[in-house]
Amino acid sequence: LVAALELVSEVGAQGFSLREVARRAGVTHAAPYRHFASKESLVAALCEDGFNMMLKHMHDAMHAAGEDPLARFQAAAMGYLKFAVTCASHFRLMFGANSVNREQYPTLLDASHKGLAIVMDLVKACQRAGYFRTQQSSLELSLAGWSTVHGLASLYVDGQLRNLSLQLGDLETMGQLVAKAMLDGLFEPSHRSAAV
Amino acid sequence: LVAALELVSEVGAQGFSLREVARRAGVTHAAPYRHFASKESLVAALCEDGFNMMLKHMHDAMHAAGEDPLARFQAAAMGYLKFAVTCASHFRLMFGANSVNREQYPTLLDASHKGLAIVMDLVKACQRAGYFRTQQSSLELSLAGWSTVHGLASLYVDGQLRNLSLQLGDLETMGQLVAKAMLDGLFEPSHRSAAV
DNA sequence: ACCTGAACACCGTTCAAGT
DNA sequence: ACCTGAACACCGTTCAAGT
């Protein structure tokens, strides 16, 4: 049954039907209702899988990056992007508007909160290590960083950047360029806010 | 008929049905097919409306901001956020995964490209005026800025930031905080790349 | 030019009934 | 415990037919 879920995610991200799932699983269209209360709860299960995969991507990348907080921060961002591009259908399911009412699925809600928690920890570590400025709170910097990475991933997955690939390369390259802009800031040094 | 579209966008963002649209318009379920080739083409029309509204929000904000390129840049970003929050259903339609095959609707494709073009112009102006660094190309800085603003808007519209509103305030406030982080950068001055 | 009405193949969901 | 088969109300789309 979980096997059926995987098969489905390979197919079209949405517009997929519960009846088609049942067909692939070799059962009747009514059989899934013994395992899931509704289509939404099946999609919720897929989303939860997706969040766990995303967290795994980030954790793996962080682990491979070693101990340096900045390296870990950048690796987590790249892990996020890599997940978005390799598991695009999961990503769309997780962040699409079609999305489920997260409030009704506590385990899903938990998983979706862990992402920001990781970012927060990384930002705090980078601030402690003297990499990041402390003029703004770790929450504010985390939100900015998360927005940037998530925005890039969303635009890419939605095909909004297709015409830029020629000039800037693939998502990983774009990620490095955008991360550099984010870390350094857009401002000329002379226009930057005074340091703490 | 266009009146019917507006009514629909007020209702649920998606999961809305062509038959329901026809019902509201007071015609049979088959009547819309004299005006739109398919449901997708109706949604495409809604998306195009959405992009034009978004561009109008950005243009209005820029105009109100006066001549200073930096003020115009920030105003455009705020206009983008304001559009996302006030026209959430349009925003979801435009950037959701459900989205239409933009390639098949040339006027929609055009409208969706104008956003980046505006950002590019603003970034170039800010670089010329000495506000922004020229170490990275205007395209790279534009992509970073767009990703950040779009990411924040997406996370907010998807309800991903609901638990942060208490700590950080509404979307406009978050936008200002995130814009500050983006402009100044995350890095401590000592870790920034050398200036040009 | 625009709309109707019936039809087709699909869908999510429910429920009695089977083993 | 898990599945079936029929049923219900819905959907997108098509097409002949009306004015």
Side-chain angles (χ1 to χ4, degrees):
Chain A
L1 304 162
V2 175
L5 309 190
E6 317 305 29
L7 296 180
V8 173
S9 83
E10 294 172 13
V11 188
Q14 38 255 78
F16 90 100
S17 80
L18 201 51
R19 285 170 111 108
E20 178 69 27
V21 174
R23 234 169 273 137
R24 299 204 169 218
V27 292
T28 336
H29 58 267
Y33 284 88
R34 294 297 121 189
H35 305 272
F36 297 96
S38 64
K39 185 187 180 183
E40 191 187 10
S41 85
L42 191 158
V43 174
L46 286 172
C47 283
E48 199 178 328
D49 275 12
F51 275 108
N52 289 327
M53 287 167 63
M54 184 183 89
L55 294 171
K56 188 171 164 14
H57 271 256
M58 291 171 74
H59 271 125
D60 286 356
M62 282 164 62
H63 185 261
E67 293 295 325
D68 181 52
L70 179 60
R72 287 167 69 82
F73 178 83
Q74 287 174 313
M78 284 301 163
Y80 194 98
L81 292 180
K82 198 165 184 182
F83 166 73
V85 69
T86 58
C87 309
S89 48
H90 270 95
F91 187 86
R92 269 188 279 258
L93 226 51
M94 291 153 61
F95 296 106
N98 56 319
S99 216
V100 297
N101 226 358
R102 273 196 252 294
E103 320 296 335
Q104 287 173 11
Y105 303 90
T107 58
L108 170 58
L109 197 64
D110 276 7
S112 74
H113 286 339
K114 280 185 194 156
L116 182 57
I118 292 182
V119 178
M120 281 280 287
D121 286 345
L122 288 169
V123 166
K124 279 182 191 161
C126 283
Q127 284 179 319
R128 269 197 303 271
Y131 284 119
F132 287 180
R133 51 217 322 262
T134 50
Q135 200 178 23
Q136 286 189 275
S137 72
S138 53
L139 180 59
E140 290 173 27
L141 296 189
S142 298
L143 178 61
W146 189 24
S147 293
T148 305
V149 173
H150 178 70
L152 180 60
S154 296
L155 291 171
Y156 188 88
V157 165
D158 280 0
Q160 213 87 16
L161 306 179
R162 210 162 291 147
N163 48 335
L164 299 185
S165 298
L166 297 168
Q167 296 165 71
L168 294 179
D170 61 4
L171 182 57
E172 200 157 347
T173 312
M174 288 189 202
Q176 270 149 6
L177 296 170
V178 167
K180 181 169 162 46
M182 180 83 231
L183 292 169
D184 283 347
L186 300 182
F187 268 151
E188 271 292 318
S190 56
H191 284 95
R192 257 179 133 218
S193 305
V196 180
Chain B
L1 304 164
V2 175
L5 311 188
E6 317 306 29
L7 295 180
V8 173
S9 81
E10 294 173 14
V11 187
Q14 38 255 81
F16 90 100
S17 79
L18 201 52
R19 284 170 112 108
E20 178 68 26
V21 174
R23 234 169 273 138
R24 299 204 168 219
V27 291
T28 336
H29 58 267
Y33 284 88
R34 294 296 120 190
H35 305 273
F36 297 96
S38 65
K39 184 188 180 184
E40 191 187 9
S41 86
L42 191 158
V43 174
L46 285 173
C47 283
E48 199 179 328
D49 275 11
F51 275 109
N52 289 328
M53 286 166 63
M54 184 183 88
L55 294 172
K56 186 170 164 15
H57 271 255
M58 292 172 73
H59 270 125
D60 286 355
M62 283 163 62
H63 184 263
E67 294 294 324
D68 181 53
L70 178 60
R72 287 167 70 81
F73 177 84
Q74 288 175 310
M78 284 301 161
Y80 194 98
L81 292 180
K82 197 164 184 183
F83 166 73
V85 70
T86 58
C87 310
S89 47
H90 271 94
F91 187 86
R92 271 189 278 259
L93 227 51
M94 292 154 61
F95 296 106
N98 55 322
S99 217
V100 297
N101 227 358
R102 273 197 252 294
E103 321 295 334
Q104 287 172 11
Y105 303 89
T107 58
L108 170 58
L109 197 62
D110 277 6
S112 74
H113 286 338
K114 279 185 194 157
L116 183 57
I118 291 182
V119 178
M120 280 282 286
D121 287 345
L122 288 169
V123 166
K124 280 182 190 159
C126 283
Q127 284 179 318
R128 269 198 303 272
Y131 284 119
F132 288 179
R133 50 214 326 261
T134 51
Q135 200 179 22
Q136 285 190 273
S137 73
S138 53
L139 180 59
E140 290 173 27
L141 295 188
S142 299
L143 178 60
W146 190 25
S147 293
T148 305
V149 174
H150 178 70
L152 180 60
S154 297
L155 290 171
Y156 187 88
V157 166
D158 280 1
Q160 214 86 17
L161 306 180
R162 211 161 290 149
N163 48 335
L164 298 185
S165 299
L166 295 169
Q167 296 164 71
L168 294 179
D170 62 3
L171 182 57
E172 199 158 346
T173 311
M174 288 189 202
Q176 269 149 6
L177 295 170
V178 167
K180 180 170 163 49
M182 178 85 232
L183 293 169
D184 283 346
L186 300 183
F187 268 152
E188 271 292 317
S190 55
H191 285 96
R192 259 178 131 219
S193 306
V196 180

